[in-house]
Amino acid sequence: MDNVEYDQFVDQYGWAFGTAALVVYVAVAVIFFIAYIRIIQKAGYSGWWILVGLVPILNVVMFLVFAFSRWPVLRERDALRSGGAYSR
């Protein structure tokens, strides 16, 4: 692969492959962020909590709090099943 044709190919089209990879990466990241926001909203929390997931160490704490706390949507469901009023 040390021939002149390969080097010319890399010089001429290398930026295109890098740009295409960057576009694909950004598209996948946006799709995942939207999915994470939807999941957090369905659990009863604000979608803005996704920003905490971008902070190192704090994202682990957020994960543990969400995993072991009682979700607002479950509290609302239990209140409605018992016939009581749900207060936020």
Side-chain angles (χ1 to χ4, degrees):
M1 288 286 183
D2 290 333
N3 58 18
V4 176
E5 292 175 11
Y6 178 75
D7 291 337
Q8 288 175 346
F9 179 77
V10 170
D11 290 341
Q12 292 175 356
Y13 299 106
W15 63 271
F17 292 119
T19 304
L22 181 64
V23 168
V24 169
Y25 174 76
V26 169
V28 169
V30 167
I31 290 169
F32 273 92
F33 278 125
I34 291 170
Y36 287 143
I37 289 170
R38 298 284 300 170
I39 290 169
I40 289 174
Q41 286 176 341
K42 286 183 180 184
Y45 293 103
S46 171
W48 290 102
W49 277 103
I50 193 68
L51 297 176
V52 176
L54 300 174
V55 179
I57 306 296
L58 188 57
N59 58 6
V60 175
V61 174
M62 180 189 86
F63 173 75
L64 293 174
V65 168
F66 283 173
F68 295 109
S69 67
R70 186 104 173 120
W71 290 4
V73 72
L74 295 177
R75 288 193 302 261
E76 180 180 0
R77 181 198 64 187
D78 293 341
L80 292 174
R81 284 186 178 172
S82 67
Y86 176 72
S87 62
R88 292 181 184 213

